[in-house]
Amino acid sequence: MESFDALTSLVAGGGVVVLSGAGLSTESGIPDYRGPSGVAQRHTPMTFQAFTRDPLARRRYWARSHLGWRLIAGAAPNAGHRAVAGLQHAGLVDTVITQNVDGLHGAAGSPSVIELHGRLDEVTCLDCGNLTSREELHRRLREANPEFVARVAAVNPDGDVDLPDEQVAAFRPVDCGICGTGMLKPDVVFFGETVPAQRVARCFAAVEQARSLLVLGSSLTVMSGRRFVIRAAKRGIPVAIVNQGPTRGDGHATVCVDAPLGAVLPQLAARVGAGAPLGV
């Protein structure tokens, strides 16, 4: 209770920047890698190097992602996303930096979101740079694979599913619909790929102008997110972490709350007088 009171005081002061991770989306049916529902032990994420250099790896990714996309596209914001949006509309949270690629912050009504690792609902051509919607690609893949049928047991955080090799072998990927031959890739940052420098700079600027940094649902295992916690701590900006289980940022935090976000965040929003935005 003491840590929740400290969290409430911090957020009530306003000027908060939120850094969210996969743990915020688990209650929307999207598992995380390292939390209580983590799949890191059984699933190796696609790397940028494998995707661009190995046609078989690329076929495997698109076959699995083609099925997983429907589950990601059907996910809805949960109480935690709505609480964050409410905090923004109440003027207490300035910016959300999310490591997630599911677009659920925007769907919940958050007006200012920096999507650090991109979005799964957009697809880019690595040759001509054309950007198209994932729905359009899904339609093209469905037309190119009319007899492709596979059973989905579970979706992974990066939007793909586990499939046996014989089902992958029957899948036919497609190239860019604009230039005709370009390699298509979801507009997300794969493991081994660098986040665009301008995007990182925007995140650092937001953190440095914040009165506090609130981490939600991230183990902070990778430096991509942890660097913002380190920067805040170096600048003397208070850091609060709400997560199930320990994180690699706990040593920099002034407040740590170990609890489900779907329970904590609505209580926090109610305590500081911030309801979900109208229409959400």
Side-chain angles (χ1 to χ4, degrees), residues 224-272:
S224 180
R226 192 165 75 251
R227 56 184 160 184
F228 303 119
V229 172
I230 294 172
R231 177 67 62 90
K234 285 184 177 179
R235 296 295 180 93
I237 299 168
V239 176
I241 299 177
V242 184
N243 190 62
Q244 286 190 270
T247 81
R248 291 192 65 183
D250 289 354
H252 298 291
T254 54
V255 180
C256 289
V257 177
D258 188 338
L261 282 89
V264 170
L265 292 179
Q267 293 178 32
L268 173 64
R271 180 79 70 88
V272 297

Side-chain angles (χ1 to χ4, degrees), residues 84-148:
V84 171
L87 292 170
Q88 280 191 280
H89 283 271
L92 299 176
V93 169
D94 294 335
T95 303
V96 174
I97 301 168
T98 185
Q99 300 172 86
N100 300 336
V101 295
D102 50 39
L104 292 180
H105 277 296
S110 283
S112 177
V113 182
I114 302 175
E115 288 160 319
L116 184 64
H117 296 151
R119 295 177 61 107
L120 268 178
D121 63 357
E122 296 180 335
V123 179
T124 184
C125 174
L126 296 182
D127 288 5
C128 72
N130 182 65
L131 197 66
T132 55
S133 75
R134 184 60 181 268
E135 284 294 340
E136 169 65 15
L137 176 63
H138 187 74
R139 181 190 62 77
R140 294 181 60 214
L141 287 173
R142 193 170 59 243
E143 292 174 352
N145 298 274
E147 299 180 0
F148 183 71

Side-chain angles (χ1 to χ4, degrees), residues 53-252:
R53 297 173 186 172
D54 185 350
L56 294 179
R58 195 158 56 250
R59 178 193 300 271
R60 185 179 306 112
Y61 175 84
W62 280 122
R64 291 161 30 159
S65 184
H66 178 57
L67 295 173
W69 163 245
R70 296 316 309 164
L71 298 179
I72 295 289
N78 61 51
H81 295 108
R82 292 192 294 271
V84 171
L87 292 170
Q88 280 191 280
H89 283 271
L92 299 176
V93 169
D94 294 335
T95 303
V96 174
I97 301 168
T98 185
Q99 300 172 86
N100 300 336
V101 295
D102 50 39
L104 292 180
H105 277 296
S110 283
S112 177
V113 182
I114 302 175
E115 288 160 319
L116 184 64
H117 296 151
R119 295 177 61 107
L120 268 178
D121 63 357
E122 296 180 335
V123 179
T124 184
C125 174
L126 296 182
D127 288 5
C128 72
N130 182 65
L131 197 66
T132 55
S133 75
R134 184 60 181 268
E135 284 294 340
E136 169 65 15
L137 176 63
H138 187 74
R139 181 190 62 77
R140 294 181 60 214
L141 287 173
R142 193 170 59 243
E143 292 174 352
N145 298 274
E147 299 180 0
F148 183 71
V149 178
R151 183 178 178 181
V152 179
V155 64
N156 293 313
D158 49 1
D160 71 358
V161 298
D162 295 321
L163 286 179
D165 290 342
E166 59 269 21
Q167 290 180 328
V168 169
F171 189 79
R172 178 188 170 197
V174 297
D175 293 323
C176 177
I178 301 300
C179 68
T181 59
M183 182 187 301
L184 294 178
K185 172 183 170 292
D187 196 29
V188 300
V189 178
F190 281 178
F191 282 79
E193 190 176 5
T194 302
V195 179
Q198 186 177 19
R199 195 180 302 166
V200 175
R202 286 179 61 206
C203 294
F204 274 130
V207 170
E208 290 170 0
Q209 294 167 12
R211 292 184 62 182
S212 63
L213 176 64
L214 174 58
V215 180
L216 303 175
S218 176
S219 64
L220 300 172
T221 300
V222 296
M223 185 57 74
S224 180
R226 192 165 75 251
R227 56 184 160 184
F228 303 119
V229 172
I230 294 172
R231 177 67 62 90
K234 285 184 177 179
R235 296 295 180 93
I237 299 168
V239 176
I241 299 177
V242 184
N243 190 62
Q244 286 190 270
T247 81
R248 291 192 65 183
D250 289 354
H252 298 291

